[in-house]
Amino acid sequence: MKFNTKVRYGLRCMIELAMADPTKGMLQKEISRKQQISRKYLDQIIFALKSTGLIENSAGRGSGYKIGKQAEKSTVYDIYRSFESELAVVDGLDEDETKNHCYAAREYWIQLNEHIKDHMKSVSLNNLKERQIQFSQQTSGLDYVI
Amino acid sequence: MKFNTKVRYGLRCMIELAMADPTKGMLQKEISRKQQISRKYLDQIIFALKSTGLIENSAGRGSGYKIGKQAEKSTVYDIYRSFESELAVVDGLDEDETKNHCYAAREYWIQLNEHIKDHMKSVSLNNLKERQIQFSQQTSGLDYVI
DNA sequence: ACTTATCCTATTACTTTAGTAGTATTTAAA
DNA sequence: TTTAAATACTACTAAAGTAATAGGATAAGT
């Protein structure tokens, strides 16, 4: 019952970019250094985030990434969905009910699943950015890389 | 981001036993047949549930299992904890903050983790039993094994 | 004694995960 | 217009986790 590293690193990337100067792009190299994620692994993560439009760049050398146009309105769930299919905390929830062996258990998992999904949808990248800014001000930005 | 089969089957077992006649025990064989879980795998699951006191029996031949004395007050989280250590949707949440690379991300995961845990603690075995009874009455107990 | 059932550990096949590697393509700069 | 930096995308691999089976030890009912 864990989120994998792609989702976790992806979230950190998005916050990093949300905090960055939106007028100039940020290179993979720079994100990699700041977030301590290997260049090649980050490459995959950025590829996924770009595919869903959460981040943008122009191709080729030296362009750099910036947050996508609609990305500030995006939520943690959108970021999650860049890497995974729809959340399903157990398999077979959408199957025919009669195939299940316990109605109450099935209903419980469905409820929990929605509960988690709702939480992930309720927190936007903007919310996270604000929290990060608050923290940076409190600590003079010394303790964290961002 | 999935619950494993031990937790899922464990939940079904607990509901099965909660629905059963509390005066007589239920054999592994019987649970296995009703819930369609292999005897040997169920053996492990029952062993775990017994270790945490959620189910009880007297040893040896033909005793059968029944719900533990305090088990009706127990929650989904208690059942989960029979198989897993404390819920942690990402690793390293309890580590020193300065080792993290993004404050806002870390805070987010902590909140989500508590959110899930709270949900799991808010639903008791009794709640699930009531739901199961309601369902059985509606369908005349035909569609589900329990 | 014998059989049935539980107790508990070990093992295995399989899948997933985390990360590396490599090659092709794009484009800024020399 | 070469060249080198950077991204784009696929393939691969080692390690870890999962689902399940196997098997011997022990306990009791008959």
Side-chain angles (χ1 to χ4, degrees):
Chain A
M1 193 55 190
K2 294 223 189 285
F3 287 93
N4 64 31
T5 55
K6 288 202 176 174
V7 173
R8 291 168 53 196
Y9 295 171
L11 183 62
R12 276 160 53 185
C13 283
M14 289 305 291
I15 297 172
E16 178 78 51
L17 287 174
M19 295 289 288
D21 182 349
T23 61
K24 47 190 168 200
M26 204 167 173
L27 297 180
Q28 284 192 8
K29 204 196 315 194
E30 202 176 347
I31 302 172
S32 165
R33 183 180 53 74
K34 284 198 171 184
Q35 289 293 334
Q36 300 277 84
I37 302 167
S38 98
R39 294 277 285 281
K40 276 301 200 180
Y41 201 36
L42 184 65
D43 189 5
Q44 288 182 40
I45 288 156
I46 283 177
F47 179 64
L49 290 170
K50 197 185 159 183
S51 300
T52 52
L54 290 180
I55 60 179
E56 293 172 1
N57 72 334
S58 40
R61 177 179 171 179
S63 63
Y65 295 91
K66 50 190 77 169
I67 214 80
K69 285 183 188 64
Q70 85 308 357
E72 296 217 333
K73 285 173 226 142
S74 70
T75 68
V76 174
Y77 193 66
D78 295 318
I79 297 168
Y80 174 82
R81 289 285 278 112
S82 296
F83 302 97
E84 305 285 335
S85 54
E86 288 283 341
L87 184 72
V89 295
V90 307
D91 288 327
L93 285 186
D94 48 358
E95 280 172 24
D96 184 11
E97 291 197 3
T98 52
K99 282 187 186 168
N100 257 274
H101 296 94
C102 181
Y103 172 82
R106 180 169 183 272
E107 287 301 293
Y108 175 75
W109 295 123
I110 290 174
Q111 276 176 27
L112 178 58
N113 201 66
E114 287 309 301
H115 191 67
I116 297 172
K117 214 190 269 188
D118 286 348
H119 186 277
M120 294 174 79
K121 285 180 177 172
S122 75
V123 176
S124 70
L125 184 57
N126 254 336
N127 296 148
L128 293 169
K129 179 181 171 182
E130 282 159 19
R131 296 291 308 263
Q132 187 68 37
I133 290 171
Q134 279 176 19
F135 177 80
S136 298
Q137 286 168 351
Q138 281 168 24
T139 59
S140 313
L142 290 177
D143 288 328
Y144 281 79
V145 185
I146 287 183
Chain B
M1 193 55 189
K2 295 226 189 284
F3 287 93
N4 63 33
T5 55
K6 289 202 176 175
V7 174
R8 290 168 53 195
Y9 295 170
L11 183 62
R12 276 161 50 186
C13 283
M14 289 304 292
I15 296 172
E16 179 78 51
L17 288 174
M19 296 289 289
D21 182 348
T23 62
K24 46 191 168 200
M26 203 168 174
L27 296 180
Q28 284 192 9
K29 206 197 313 195
E30 202 176 347
I31 303 172
S32 164
R33 183 180 51 77
K34 284 200 173 186
Q35 289 294 332
Q36 300 278 84
I37 302 167
S38 96
R39 294 279 283 281
K40 275 304 200 178
Y41 200 36
L42 184 66
D43 190 6
Q44 287 180 43
I45 288 156
I46 283 178
F47 179 64
L49 289 171
K50 196 185 161 183
S51 300
T52 52
L54 290 181
I55 61 179
E56 294 171 358
N57 72 335
S58 40
R61 176 179 171 178
S63 62
Y65 295 92
K66 48 191 80 167
I67 215 78
K69 285 185 189 61
Q70 83 310 356
E72 295 216 334
K73 285 174 225 141
S74 71
T75 69
V76 174
Y77 194 65
D78 294 318
I79 297 168
Y80 174 83
R81 288 286 279 110
S82 296
F83 302 97
E84 304 286 333
S85 53
E86 288 282 341
L87 184 72
V89 294
V90 306
D91 288 326
L93 286 185
D94 48 357
E95 280 173 23
D96 184 11
E97 291 196 5
T98 52
K99 281 186 186 168
N100 257 273
H101 297 94
C102 181
Y103 171 83
R106 181 169 181 274
E107 289 299 296
Y108 175 76
W109 295 123
I110 290 174
Q111 276 175 26
L112 178 59
N113 200 67
E114 288 307 302
H115 192 67
I116 298 171
K117 214 189 272 187
D118 285 348
H119 186 277
M120 294 173 78
K121 286 179 177 172
S122 76
V123 176
S124 71
L125 184 57
N126 254 335
N127 297 147
L128 293 169
K129 180 182 170 181
E130 282 160 19
R131 295 294 307 265
Q132 187 67 38
I133 289 171
Q134 279 176 21
F135 178 80
S136 297
Q137 286 168 350
Q138 281 167 25
T139 61
S140 313
L142 290 177
D143 289 327
Y144 281 79
V145 186
I146 285 182

